[in-house]
Amino acid sequence: MQDNDFWIGQEQIPVDLSLLLTYHNDEDNTATLRVYTVDTLNTNFARPCFALGERKFDPEMEDVSGAIENTLHELLDSGATPEDVYRIMGLVKESELSPETKEADSYLPIDLGYCIDGNIVSYEAVPESVATVPENVDYPRYAEAMESHVPLPIATQIATHDFSHRQADILMEAARSPHVSPETLETIADKTLSSGKMRGLLNIASVGKNPLDFRNMDEQTLKAAVSVLFHGGKDLPVTELGLAQLRSVDLALMDGASPAEAMRAAEKSASAEPEAPAASLASEARDAKAARTELDSQSETKDAPTRAEKADGSL
C-alpha cells in the first residue's frame, strides 16, 4: 500500500471521533488514530477517512480492514448514524452501490452491509499530539453523557455546548429512562426547545404517551397536560383540550372526580363560555335601561307642578 505521507491537523479530525477515542482510552488506553484515503474519494485533494487502530501495532503491520470494521462497530454501538459513518470513515451501504460498481467488484465489503466504494490507497498513524480533544470542547460532560448512554451525536452536541447545562441534564435523564425510546430521545433533543418544554416532553414519555403528539403545545399548556396525565387522566383526549379546559379537568381530578366526570365538567365549562359574554351584555343592557327609566321618572317628578302651583294657575 502506498504511503502518501500527508499532514493531518487537529481541525481535520472529526470532534466526535476524537471524543470517542479519548473516552475509549480512559478505559484501557489501547487505541490510537489512523487516517486512510480511498481512490474514489480523492478528487482535487485526498479526503481523509479515519479509523481507530491498535496502539501496539505499526500501521504497516495492522489488519486494516479489521481496524475499519472494529471502528464501524464502535461508532454504531455508540449511536452514530449512517451519515456519521460516511462522514468519519467514508463507508457507504452496499445497497447504495451502482450496478456497474458491483459488477466490476471494485469495492471492499466491511461488515453490517457497509463497504468502501473504491480502494484504500494509504493508511497511516495520526500523531497522538494531534488526535486530542480541542480545548473548547467539554470532555467531562461528554463522558458523563456517554455513561448515561446518550447517543454519540447528542453527546457530542452536549460537549460542544449546543445545549445548556440544564437541557443536557434532562437529555441524560431521558437517555437513562426505560420509557424513552431512541425516537423519543431524538424528539426531545432539540436545542430550540426550552428546558421546561424538554422536561414536559420527558414527563409525557414517562406515562407512556408519544411526545410528538404534544410537541406543538406551548410550555404552559404542556405543563397543564402533564398534570392531568399524572392525576389520572391518561386515557382522556388531552391533546384536544385547551389550557382552561386542562386546568378545569385537573382541578376536578384532584378533587376526586373520575376522568369521565372531570371531562364532562370541562365540556360544560367550555360550552358555557361563549354564552357568558352575551348574558353579561344582556344584564348590562337591562341595568342601563332601568337606570334610564329611574332618571326619567325622577326628572318628571322634579319638573311636575305642585298642588299650590296648580291652584295658582287655575286662578
Side-chain angles (χ1 to χ4, degrees), residues 151-291:
L152 181 67
I154 301 174
T156 303
Q157 284 183 283
I158 289 173
T160 52
H161 312 288
D162 283 352
F163 294 104
S164 70
H165 198 85
R166 191 173 179 186
Q167 286 175 318
D169 283 341
I170 294 169
L171 289 174
M172 286 188 273
E173 182 181 340
R176 292 191 297 266
S177 171
H179 303 288
V180 176
S181 66
E183 294 75 21
T184 296
L185 183 60
E186 188 175 343
T187 298
I188 297 173
D190 181 346
K191 61 184 177 183
T192 65
L193 300 178
S194 67
S195 58
K197 193 160 183 178
M198 278 186 174
R199 169 63 63 188
L201 294 176
L202 173 55
N203 289 336
I204 292 291
S206 71
V207 294
K209 292 290 186 178
N210 185 357
L212 276 175
D213 297 335
F214 296 79
R215 197 181 184 286
N216 293 329
M217 284 184 174
D218 62 71
E219 190 171 331
Q220 196 174 21
T221 305
L222 180 61
K223 186 176 181 181
V226 168
S227 190
V228 168
L229 294 174
F230 272 72
H231 289 136
K234 184 178 177 181
D235 296 324
L236 296 179
V238 177
T239 56
E240 300 172 14
L241 304 179
L243 177 59
Q245 289 176 299
L246 286 168
R247 286 176 171 169
S248 176
V249 170
D250 196 35
L251 286 172
L253 291 172
M254 287 191 290
D255 284 342
S258 69
E261 291 169 340
M263 193 66 190
R264 283 196 293 271
E267 289 170 350
K268 287 180 181 178
S269 173
S271 62
E273 282 177 4
E275 299 174 5
S280 178
L281 288 172
S283 176
E284 289 178 8
R286 286 195 298 271
D287 292 344
K289 183 177 180 180

Side-chain angles (χ1 to χ4, degrees), residues 8 31 54 58 103 117 133 135 149-150 176 191 205 224-225 227 238 242 271 312:
I8 289 292
E54 289 285 342
D58 184 280
E103 186 177 347
D117 182 5
V133 177
E135 291 182 1
H149 307 292
V150 173
R176 292 191 297 266
K191 61 184 177 183
S227 190
V238 177
S271 62
D312 290 342

Side-chain angles (χ1 to χ4, degrees), residues 21 33 36-37 49 66-67 76 90 108 119 126 134 157 189 212 218-219 229 231 236 260 289 293 297 301 313:
L21 173 64
L33 194 60
Y36 60 94
T37 58
C49 299
L76 294 177
L108 176 63
N119 300 296
V126 176
Q157 284 183 283
L212 276 175
D218 62 71
E219 190 171 331
L229 294 174
H231 289 136
L236 296 179
K289 183 177 180 180
T293 302
S297 175
T301 302

Side-chain angles (χ1 to χ4, degrees), residues 88-106:
I88 295 170
M89 304 185 68
L91 303 187
V92 298
K93 288 282 192 176
E94 287 187 43
S95 57
E96 298 174 0
L97 296 176
S98 67
E100 295 77 17
T101 299
K102 291 182 178 180
E103 186 177 347
D105 200 27
S106 58

